[in-house]
Amino acid sequence: MRLLIAFLILLVLLLQYRLWVGPGSLAEVNNLKQEISAQREELVELRERNRALQAEVEDLRSGQSAIEERARSELGMVKDGEIFYQVINPPESSPHE
């Protein structure tokens, strides 16, 4: 009888070890849930970024206004007959001068 009780206690301890520490433990499951949550958030951000990029591609394919805007902002281009003014702010003087 004592041998059976000792065996059952050992079995319970092994199962408790696996529940708390071993593979598939509660801590591991919790970590995996956190990783899934973080990956879902990243996926939402990436999908939003893809939507914005797709909209930009469609704008560039469909009209000249998007191409013109990009040429002006990124390349500094101007149309014929326009005058380009560049305003340069003077450097701030330090209070010690």
Side-chain angles (χ1 to χ4, degrees):
M1 188 67 175
R2 287 184 183 179
L3 188 60
L4 180 61
I5 292 173
F7 176 73
L8 291 175
I9 289 174
L10 181 63
L11 184 63
V12 167
L13 289 175
L14 286 173
L15 291 174
Q16 285 294 314
Y17 172 79
R18 185 160 184 220
L19 176 69
W20 296 106
V21 181
S25 67
L26 293 176
E28 184 179 0
V29 169
N30 190 33
N31 287 339
L32 290 174
K33 285 180 181 179
Q34 289 176 350
E35 285 182 33
I36 289 171
S37 176
Q39 287 180 354
R40 283 185 178 153
E41 289 175 12
E42 183 180 0
L43 181 63
V44 167
E45 292 172 7
L46 290 173
R47 283 184 176 159
E48 184 61 34
R49 180 175 167 228
N50 283 346
R51 279 190 211 106
L53 289 172
Q54 185 63 36
E56 186 175 344
V57 166
E58 292 301 320
D59 283 347
L60 290 172
R61 282 186 184 161
S62 65
Q64 293 293 321
S65 62
I67 296 172
E68 182 180 330
E69 176 187 344
R70 197 149 211 197
R72 288 174 178 270
S73 65
E74 293 180 10
L75 302 175
M77 299 181 87
V78 295
K79 286 184 179 179
D80 289 335
E82 290 183 335
I83 299 174
F84 177 73
Y85 293 99
Q86 183 175 8
V87 178
I88 300 175
N89 294 325
E92 294 182 20
S93 61
S94 64
H96 300 290
E97 293 179 15

